[in-house]
Amino acid sequence: MKINQPTTAVIFFALLISPFAFSSSELPWVFVKSEAGIIIHKRAHREGLVEIRAQMQTPTTYSGFLSLLEDSQNVPNWVDNVSESRVLRQISATENIVYTQFKAPWPARDRDMVTYSKYTIDNDQFILSIKDASTYLPKEPGYIRIYNVKALWTLQPLNNSNTYITYTAYANAGGILPNWLMNKLSISSALNTFKGLREQLPKYQSQQHPNLPSE
């Protein structure tokens, strides 16, 4: 299914302030925890970091999900540690360059990142892919730049009127925090963000996104 209607909406990607990492698909996923219907896995990556996968099923349309992601003013209410997000450039109806800032607990310094995002619908799945675009914007004073970003949202409709949401991501958060601490923070951040996502999604279910087909 092709998506070709124009839109001026913001495509927001929220990456948690943590060292997420895509690793070789040959490495096995390791179960971490299941809480409130949210399942967290991890797997090893180079430099001692881990890739995190968060999954859950919840009632949502693709339009509702995308409308939530595009509501940049609401981002701090559900994405763990995010303080601000805005579009730097809209490349096309489905592609954007996005700038995001993250609050870090003391004594760590705040982080920021620049990402390229693109979404499609393929075989009835909604797919939002994100990759690093750090070179698009010079480093901001007072922030440590997150780099090597790569992430993926996938949504799949289920027969029970729910949608299965999967999120996997990688980034190097930079700075001097030890890997064990960053890995621990990544797990708690993923869990908190998915809890916030499920809480906020009902507010957007009446919205039909202009760039997505009716469901």
Side-chain angles (χ1 to χ4, degrees), residues 2 4 11 27 34 39 67 106 123 152 164 167 184 208:
K2 294 183 179 180
N4 52 24
I11 303 302
L27 296 177
S34 177
I39 304 171
S67 296
W106 186 91
N123 293 326
L152 186 70
Y164 201 77
Y167 175 70
K184 182 178 180 181
Q208 173 59 49

Side-chain angles (χ1 to χ4, degrees), residues 86-90 96-99 113-115 133 136-137:
R86 65 180 186 271
V87 166
L88 298 177
R89 178 190 173 193
Q90 185 175 23
N96 286 274
I97 302 293
V98 180
Y99 176 70
M113 72 176 184
V114 185
T115 55
Y136 187 86
L137 184 72

Side-chain angles (χ1 to χ4, degrees), residues 9 60-71 74 200-215:
T60 185
T61 63
Y62 294 167
S63 286
F65 176 80
L66 185 55
S67 296
L68 170 60
L69 295 190
E70 292 178 344
D71 187 357
N74 194 35
Q200 294 294 322
L201 276 171
K203 303 176 182 179
Y204 297 83
Q205 296 311 302
S206 63
Q207 300 186 24
Q208 173 59 49
H209 195 279
N211 202 40
L212 293 180
S214 300
E215 297 177 54

Side-chain angles (χ1 to χ4, degrees), residues 178-199:
N179 287 343
W180 68 265
L181 177 58
M182 291 194 291
N183 289 338
K184 182 178 180 181
L185 289 174
S186 70
I187 294 171
S188 62
S189 293
L191 183 62
N192 291 337
T193 293
F194 261 56
K195 288 179 178 178
L197 174 64
R198 186 168 55 197
E199 179 180 335

Side-chain angles (χ1 to χ4, degrees), residues 7-145:
T7 179
T8 58
V10 172
I11 303 302
F12 168 74
F13 163 62
L15 182 67
L16 314 178
I17 182 170
S18 55
F20 289 0
F22 272 112
S23 57
S24 169
S25 60
E26 296 179 357
L27 296 177
W29 286 105
V30 177
F31 174 78
V32 176
K33 66 190 308 181
S34 177
E35 182 177 324
I38 301 165
I39 304 171
I40 306 294
H41 287 82
K42 68 178 181 180
R43 60 183 175 188
H45 191 270
R46 61 181 180 273
E47 300 177 353
L49 306 180
V50 294
E51 175 185 6
I52 298 295
R53 183 178 72 187
Q55 297 172 299
M56 71 174 177
Q57 57 176 290
T58 191
T60 185
T61 63
Y62 294 167
S63 286
F65 176 80
L66 185 55
S67 296
L68 170 60
L69 295 190
E70 292 178 344
D71 187 357
S72 58
Q73 296 298 317
N74 194 35
V75 167
N77 294 326
W78 67 277
V79 180
D80 200 37
N81 297 316
V82 166
S83 58
E84 178 187 351
S85 179
R86 65 180 186 271
V87 166
L88 298 177
R89 178 190 173 193
Q90 185 175 23
I91 300 173
S92 72
T94 60
E95 299 171 277
N96 286 274
I97 302 293
V98 180
Y99 176 70
T100 308
Q101 291 181 344
F102 301 87
K103 299 174 293 185
W106 186 91
R109 291 172 57 190
D110 291 346
R111 262 69 170 172
D112 69 357
M113 72 176 184
V114 185
T115 55
Y116 163 85
S117 63
K118 180 178 181 179
Y119 68 88
T120 61
I121 294 181
D122 186 19
N123 293 326
D124 292 330
Q125 282 193 350
F126 177 90
I127 301 171
L128 172 62
S129 59
I130 303 100
K131 64 181 181 180
D132 192 279
S134 294
T135 57
Y136 187 86
L137 184 72
K139 291 183 179 180
E140 294 285 336
Y143 289 87
I144 294 177
R145 178 63 49 88

